[in-house]
């Protein structure tokens, strides 16, 4: 099985094959260019024949080239293992695709994932190395770079939130990766902390592209049942038939709040409860701050009590004014006015003190994915822990203690 990529299509508004789309739009076949009535004039001398050449075609390697070390996790579409390349000794993540219940051939979610990862190369997007198969060709595996942690599990073991300087670094990495996706006409549609990986070099990797898809201009209709509930934008919850890359930016706003307070920002128990929590936090939307919302079908189903106040400041008392402004712009009700990834990268929040921390200065933690057990180290003396991830400004280097997570934290 071979995967070829047309580099000339990058950054253009194109509609991909039906196998990679939701299938709810009509696709017209391309109109062939007119053929000249007579061939162009040739020189009297015989012209040498030319042949088109392309990338070499090679068969997929067998999965036997990898040694499985331990199982990392199992999801709806595959099982992920930590494995070692027997030839090079490199540690990788091996994702076995679930094909047992597939009736229509290769799963479309896996096609989307492979297609997206081959198209969007970025330091903060997980890298696909190759596709391998079993000798019988009944098992198909995606070989990806191994990353030690997922952000959700990692924060669950931390005794305090990330520092503000660390939060800024992680946010910049996330927004930069999403900007790359959007520039390549790709919408992720499932950004959440459990789909963000982080290595022990302080580098974040966006993963899990099973719901990602290419889009064009005009956008057209796409399926509404996307994005995990806690990170789902209000236009999706209210049944919008068309949406844009703005749904990814709303998810980033929810992740921002989770990084700052080390807890989910909007942990609803259903769609009605999720909308209720959004309105309680940001105030009930109106036609003034969200033109056209009255036409959304969900408003005919749900009946909400009017709450006119934005309560973000009380939820994030330690966040700077610039930080609060960025969060408000990420969580803007009107998708047309919601901040874009390119705009967010230039937001003044990232240039005010404390500045983003160098990733190499991030603490290191035992890797759950590698089967490492948590260690507790004694440190003498221990500096006070920062409250709610707040830095206390530039100063001398000091060790803020090794927290119960077993990670060393160097504060600047």
């Amino acid at each position: 099985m071979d995967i070829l990529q047309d580099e000339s299509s990058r950054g253009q508004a194109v509609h991909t094959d039906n196998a990679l789309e939701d299938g709810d739009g009509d696709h017209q076949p391309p109109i062939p260019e007119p053929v000249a009535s007579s061939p162009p004039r040739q020189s009297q001398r015989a012209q040498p024949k030319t042949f088109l050449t392309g990338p070499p075609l090679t068969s997929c390697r067998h999965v036997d080239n990898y040694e499985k070390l331990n199982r990392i996790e199992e999801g709806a579409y595959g099982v992920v293992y930590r494995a070692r390349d027997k030839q090079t000794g490199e540690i990788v993540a091996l994702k076995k695709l679930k094909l047992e219940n597939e009736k229509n051939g290769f799963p479309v979610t896996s096609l989307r994932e492979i297609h997206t990862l081959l198209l969007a190369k970025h330091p903060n997007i997980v890298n696909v190395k190759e596709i391998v198969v079993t000798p019988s060709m009944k098992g198909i595996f995606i070989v990806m770079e191994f990353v030690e942690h997922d952000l959700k599990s990692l924060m669950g073991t931390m005794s305090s939130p990330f520092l503000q300087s660390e939060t800024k670094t992680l946010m910049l990495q996330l927004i930069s990766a999403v900007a790359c996706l959007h520039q390549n006409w790709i919408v992720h549609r499932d950004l959440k902390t459990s789909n963000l990986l982080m290595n022990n070099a302080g580098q974040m990797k966006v993963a899990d592209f099973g719901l990602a898809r290419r889009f064009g201009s005009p956008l057209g209709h796409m399926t509404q049942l996307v994005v995990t509930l806690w990170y789902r934008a209000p236009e999706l919850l209210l049944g919008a038939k068309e949406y844009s890359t703005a749904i990814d930016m709303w998810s980033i706003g929810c992740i921002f709040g989770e990084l700052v307070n080390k807890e989910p920002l909007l942990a609803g128990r259903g769609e009605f409860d999720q909308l209720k929590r959004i309105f309680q936090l940001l105030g009930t939307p109106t036609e003034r701050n969200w033109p056209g919302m009255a036409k959304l079908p969900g408003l005919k189903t749900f009946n909400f009590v009017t709450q006119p106040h934005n309560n973000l400041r009380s939820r994030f008392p330690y966040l700077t004014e610039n930080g609060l402004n960025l969060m408000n712009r990420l969580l803007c009700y009107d998708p047309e006015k919601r901040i874009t990834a390119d705009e967010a990268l230039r937001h003044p929040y990232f240039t005010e003190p404390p500045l983003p921390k160098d990733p190499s200065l991030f603490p290191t933690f035992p890797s759950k994915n590698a089967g490492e057990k948590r260690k507790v180290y004694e440190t003498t003396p221990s500096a006070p822990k920062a409250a709610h991830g707040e830095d206390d400004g530039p100063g001398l280097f000091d060790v803020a203690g090794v927290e119960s997570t077993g990670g060393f934290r160097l504060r600047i």
Side-chain angles (χ1 to χ4, degrees), residues 4 6 9 14-30 108 111-112 115 212-215:
L4 302 180
D6 181 4
S9 66
V14 297
H15 290 284
T16 54
D17 294 337
N18 289 344
L20 300 178
E21 301 296 338
D22 289 344
D24 42 4
D26 294 329
H27 296 269
Q28 299 296 331
V108 65
L111 280 174
R112 284 176 177 155
H115 178 258
R213 64 159 285 178
R214 298 292 300 276
F215 63 93

Side-chain angles (χ1 to χ4, degrees), residues 192-206:
K192 55 183 177 180
T193 50
S194 57
N195 284 345
L196 304 179
L197 309 181
M198 181 176 168
N199 61 26
N200 277 330
Q203 190 175 35
M204 177 188 287
K205 304 276 187 177
V206 178

Side-chain angles (χ1 to χ4, degrees), residues 30 69 71 139 156 193 201 255 277 297 302 304 329 331 370 385 387 392:
L69 300 177
R71 182 165 161 168
T193 50
I255 293 169
R277 288 170 183 262
F302 303 123
F304 297 98
R329 295 190 65 188
L331 300 177
K385 295 179 181 178
D392 49 12

Side-chain angles (χ1 to χ4, degrees), residues 45-64:
R45 299 178 60 184
Q47 300 293 323
K49 293 182 179 181
T50 58
F51 300 92
L52 295 176
T53 59
L57 300 178
T58 58
S59 59
C60 293
R61 294 202 302 164
H62 288 174
V63 71
D64 294 342

Side-chain angles (χ1 to χ4, degrees), residues 54-83:
L57 300 178
T58 58
S59 59
C60 293
R61 294 202 302 164
H62 288 174
V63 71
D64 294 342
N65 288 287
Y66 292 91
E67 175 191 1
K68 293 179 183 177
L69 300 177
N70 63 277
R71 182 165 161 168
I72 297 176
E73 65 175 354
E74 179 174 359
Y77 304 109
V79 184
V80 183
Y81 301 90
R82 186 172 69 104

